[in-house]
Amino acid sequence: AQTIHQWPVAEIKAVGSPLSLGCTIKGKSSPNLYWYWQATGGTLQQLFYSITVGQVESVVQLNLSASRPKDDQFILSTEKLLLSHSGFYLCAWSLGVENTLYFGAGTRLSVL
Amino acid sequence: GDSVTQTEGPVTVSESESLIINCTYSATSIAYPNLFWYVRYPGEGLQLLLKVITAGQKGSSRGFEATYNKETTSFHLQKASVQESDSAVYYCALGSSNTNKVVFGTGTRLQVLP
């Protein structure tokens, strides 16, 4: 069975501090990987996607970056957090051409 | 650009009543969109409820149905008789295998009263 694990579950960070969120998918080879972000009361916005190791496409510019160092790992990061980065971050994977997304439990980020 | 518009919540209905949550889409850069309904139950993660990838087809799951209508660019979610356990947030989404982008609506919070 496939599993997707996100870490950490929650973070409270100061403005200007760095951030690293992670996501690991087990049980699937070469999945497409995605990062989504949802501001409080807002909609889900796709931030990045990756179809292979080392390649990441940006969808929305939010002063964040993403990397895929291994086939089963997707990292979201920034060197300097903004207040506007607060929200809920979701990692997801998909296979094939139908774009069905399978989500992790998410990370809640509060930037103070 | 591509977008999804759905019923603004919260929507409150009583158990055993019928439900419809409207969803319309605009697919300006996608020739053959795939359409989805996702659901987030309280305390759980976001999960697929149903999907349809061919215009004119209907998808169904857990008593919910949605028909992909290309003429009206709609994908409304319906259930004949809701249960209290259907209380959740429902998201309509539009996807494309050509661009690896999936666009979500704003979500509709459904509360079913006992």
Side-chain angles (χ1 to χ4, degrees):
Chain A
Q2 309 82 29
T3 60
I4 176 169
H5 174 60
Q6 280 190 247
W7 74 91
V9 172
E11 280 265 47
I12 300 175
K13 304 278 279 186
V15 170
S17 63
L19 174 75
S20 181
L21 304 180
C23 173
T24 299
I25 294 85
K26 296 298 184 187
K28 273 298 176 189
S29 179
S30 303
N32 297 335
L33 299 177
Y34 306 80
W35 278 112
Y36 277 82
W37 169 72
Q38 185 174 32
T40 302
T43 190
L44 283 158
Q45 277 193 279
Q46 187 174 354
L47 301 178
F48 300 94
Y49 69 89
S50 170
I51 60 173
T52 192
V53 174
Q55 287 190 5
V56 176
E57 298 295 328
S58 174
V59 178
V60 172
Q61 290 294 332
L62 284 181
N63 293 307
L64 296 167
S65 60
S67 63
R68 186 170 179 177
K70 295 191 280 188
D71 186 55
D72 63 354
Q73 194 173 76
F74 207 21
I75 307 295
L76 183 71
S77 61
T78 182
E79 292 186 0
K80 282 190 176 181
L81 277 166
L82 307 173
L83 283 173
S84 57
H85 287 138
S86 292
F88 194 56
Y89 290 83
L90 283 168
C91 180
W93 66 270
S94 74
L95 278 184
V97 299
E98 295 178 3
N99 293 124
T100 300
L101 296 175
Y102 300 92
F103 288 90
T107 296
R108 185 158 302 280
L109 173 67
S110 298
V111 182
L112 307 176
Chain B
D2 306 314
S3 64
V4 174
T5 302
Q6 64 181 101
T7 301
E8 275 198 39
V11 172
T12 303
V13 296
S14 297
E15 205 164 31
S16 76
E17 286 187 345
S18 63
L19 169 75
I20 181 166
I21 299 177
N22 290 328
C23 172
T24 56
Y25 66 89
S26 172
T28 56
S29 68
I30 303 171
Y32 302 100
N34 303 325
L35 298 175
F36 307 84
W37 279 100
Y38 286 85
V39 60
R40 179 184 287 148
Y41 295 103
E44 297 185 20
L46 190 60
Q47 59 187 280
L48 179 71
L49 177 61
L50 57 86
K51 67 180 179 185
V52 180
I53 62 172
T54 304
Q57 298 297 308
K58 180 169 69 177
S60 60
S61 174
R62 306 182 197 182
F64 288 90
E65 295 181 338
T67 300
Y68 183 161
N69 190 320
K70 189 175 180 181
E71 285 68 38
T72 59
T73 63
S74 66
F75 192 55
H76 306 319
L77 183 68
Q78 302 183 72
K79 189 170 186 181
S81 176
V82 297
Q83 301 172 331
E84 197 176 351
S85 58
D86 293 326
S87 296
V89 181
Y90 293 82
Y91 293 88
C92 185
L94 165 72
S96 165
S97 57
N98 296 326
T99 64
N100 280 295
K101 293 181 185 176
V102 181
V103 178
F104 283 80
T106 53
T108 301
R109 182 174 297 278
L110 171 67
Q111 183 178 11
V112 180
L113 303 176

